[in-house]
Amino acid sequence: MEALSSLIAGFGVLADPMNIVYMFVGIMLGVLIGVLPGLGGANGVAILLPLTFAMSPVSAIIMLSSIYWGALFGGAITSILFNIPGEPWSVATTFDGHPMAQKGKAGEALTAAFTGSFIGAFFAVVLITFMAPIIAKFALKFGPAEFFAVYLLTFCSFVGMGKEPPAKVLAVMALGFALAAVGIDTVTGQLRMTFGSVELLRGFDFLVAVIGLFGVGEILLTMEEGLAFKGKSAAINMRVVLHTWKQLPKFWLGCLRSAVVGCWMGITPGGATPASFMSYGLAKRFSKRGNEFGKGELEGVVMPEVGAHAAGTAALLPMLTLGIPGSPTAAVLLGGLLIWGLQPGPLLFVEQKDFVWGLIASIYLGNIAGLLVVLTTVPLFAAILRVPFSVIAPIILVVCAVGAYTVHNATMDIAVMLVFGVIGYVFKKLDYPLAPLVLALVLGDMAESSFRQAMLVSQGNLGIFWSNPLVGSIVTLALVMLFWPLISAGIQRLRGGGAKHAAAE
C-alpha cells in the first residue's frame, strides 16, 4: 500500500503541464532517434542532455527518459519496413517483422511490435513499483562470475534452443567472438589483432556491423531479386490495430515469459539486446509454429519487443537503487543525476522521494503516450514503402553511411559497414544465421572480461561458477539449454522405449 500511495504522489508531480509537454517532446525526439540507424538511445540522450541543464531535475529526467521510451518504440519502424535495425535491440524484430512487411502486413507487424513494447514496459514498471527493495538486494549479489553466467546463459540458449543447425550457429558465433576480440584488451591493455592499423584500435563497433549486416546486406539481396520491395502496401488504421489486438491474447504465456526474461536481463544487467534475442529464441522453441519463424510470424514480432522493452525499463531499477546502470542509456541518465546533484542509491528513495516516484509515474504515462504517438504517426513511415526501390535504395545507403559515420565520426567505419554488408549478403545466401554473429559481437568482450575477472578472483579455479546457489543455478540452466537437443532426444527415446515395453506386455 505504501508503494501505491507513493505512486499516487508521483502522479501529482506530473500535474505540472510543462512536464507533460516535455514528455511528448521527448517521445517524438526518441522515435526519430530510434528510426535513424546508428544514433541510438544512449547517444540521443547524451546529445540532448545539455538542453536539460536549465530545467528542474524532475522535468529533465522525465524528458530524457521519454526520449529513451521513444527510441525503444521507434527502433521497430525501420526494422520492419526496411530490415534495418534502428536500434541494436531491434535486430530480432527484423527476423519476422520484415517478412510480414514484404507480405503486405506491415501495419499488423508494426501494431504488434508497438503493443509488445507497451506490454514489456508496463510489466517492468509494475515490477519496479512493488519489488524495488527485494530486487535491489538481489542485484547487489552480482559479481564477475554471475555476470559471465548470464552471458553464458544467453549464448547457450541460442545454440541449444534455436532451430538452426548447432554447427552453423557455433561457426558464426565463433566469428563474432573473434571480431569482438579485435582492439585493446580491456584486462591487460595489450593490442589484439590490429595488424598495425590505428583504426582497429577501438575494434569493430557493434552498431556499424549491424547497419552493414542488415541494412547493406538487405539492399544487395533486393537488388539481386529485381530492384523492388516485396511489400508495397503498408496501411495502419483502427481496423488493422483492432484485428491485430484480437490475435495477441493467445500469446499471453509467451508475453509473460518474455517479460520475465526482459526484467531479468535488465536488472542483472544483461541489456535489452540479449533480452530480445533470448525472448525470440525461447518463443521459437516453445511455439507450436516455431518452424514458421523467420517467414513472417506475428508471435516472432511481439516477443522480442516485449523482452527488449521490459529490459530497457527494468534497467532503471539498479540505476536508481544502487547506482549501477543496467544499460548504456541508464548510464547516461546516471551521469545526468550526478550533474543535478542527486546521488543514486537506497537513500534516494528517502531524500528525493518526489523525484523518484515522479520518474516512475512518468514511465506509466510515457508508455501510454508513446504507444499512441507511434500508432498515429507511423503511416508517415509506412508510406515510404510505396516509393520505388530505385529511388529509396540510394537514400537508405546514405542514411546507413551517415549512421555508421556518426558512431565515431570516422570514415573508416563506412568501409567497415560495406564489408559487413557483403558478409551479411553471403551469409544469407548460404543460409547461415546472422543473429548469433551479432550476439557474439556485442557481448563477446563483456563476457570475456567477466570470465577473466572471475578467474583472477578464484586464481584459475572454475569452481567459482558453482561457488554459490545463484551463480550455480544460472550456469546449470545454461548447460541444460546448451545440451537440450540431446536431453530432449534422450527423453523421447526413453518414452518410446517405455511405450514399446508396455505394448509388449
Side-chain angles (χ1 to χ4, degrees), residues 395-429:
I395 298 176
I396 295 177
L397 276 176
V398 171
V399 171
C400 288
V402 171
Y405 178 81
T406 54
V407 174
H408 295 293
N409 293 329
T411 309
M412 175 70 176
D413 284 341
I414 299 177
V416 172
M417 175 198 74
L418 294 174
V419 171
F420 274 104
V422 175
I423 293 174
Y425 168 77
V426 172
F427 275 24
K428 287 179 181 179
K429 294 295 290 184

Side-chain angles (χ1 to χ4, degrees), residues 377-408:
T377 60
V378 83
L380 301 175
F381 297 99
I384 299 174
L385 278 178
R386 301 187 181 95
V387 179
F389 182 79
S390 58
V391 174
I392 203 67
I395 298 176
I396 295 177
L397 276 176
V398 171
V399 171
C400 288
V402 171
Y405 178 81
T406 54
V407 174
H408 295 293

Side-chain angles (χ1 to χ4, degrees), residues 3-4 7 124-133 317 357 360-361 364:
L4 281 175
L7 183 61
V125 72
V126 170
L127 194 68
I128 291 174
T129 303
F130 294 101
M131 299 188 67
L317 178 59
W357 289 104
I360 293 174
Y364 281 99

Side-chain angles (χ1 to χ4, degrees), residues 200-368:
L200 291 179
L201 287 177
R202 62 172 176 267
F204 294 106
D205 191 275
F206 168 70
L207 282 175
V208 176
V210 166
I211 292 170
L213 287 170
F214 291 92
V216 179
E218 181 65 26
I219 289 175
L220 292 175
L221 275 178
T222 310
M223 288 172 63
E224 181 187 20
E225 293 168 2
L227 293 176
F229 284 121
K230 293 182 180 178
K232 287 285 185 182
S233 60
I236 183 168
N237 49 46
M238 187 54 66
R239 184 184 61 79
V240 172
V241 171
L242 293 177
H243 175 70
T244 306
W245 282 354
K246 285 181 182 178
Q247 301 179 63
L248 296 183
K250 62 184 178 182
F251 303 138
W252 70 269
L253 184 60
C255 288
L256 180 62
R257 180 175 59 239
S258 297
V260 171
V261 169
C263 289
W264 170 273
M265 298 302 286
I267 293 164
T268 48
T273 303
S276 64
F277 281 120
M278 284 187 68
S279 299
Y280 183 84
L282 290 171
K284 188 175 182 179
R285 179 70 187 181
F286 291 109
S287 174
K288 295 179 181 178
R289 296 178 57 83
N291 291 328
E292 299 298 317
F293 272 48
K295 301 177 183 178
E297 280 293 310
L298 193 67
E299 188 176 1
V301 177
V302 176
M303 298 311 160
E305 288 293 315
V306 172
H309 240 63
T313 306
L316 294 180
L317 178 59
M319 187 271 285
L320 289 172
T321 57
L322 302 172
I324 301 173
S327 69
T329 311
V332 177
L333 293 175
L334 175 64
L337 293 180
L338 296 175
I339 290 172
W340 297 315
L342 300 173
Q343 181 62 50
L347 291 179
L348 190 65
F349 283 79
V350 179
E351 299 173 351
Q352 300 289 340
K353 191 173 182 179
D354 289 345
F355 168 81
V356 173
W357 289 104
L359 172 60
I360 293 174
S362 76
I363 299 175
Y364 281 99
L365 288 183
N367 197 28
I368 297 171

Side-chain angles (χ1 to χ4, degrees), residues 181-202:
V182 174
I184 299 176
D185 185 341
T186 55
V187 177
T188 65
Q190 294 180 343
L191 301 181
R192 299 189 300 190
M193 293 187 287
T194 58
F195 305 103
S197 172
V198 177
E199 288 82 2
L200 291 179
L201 287 177
R202 62 172 176 267

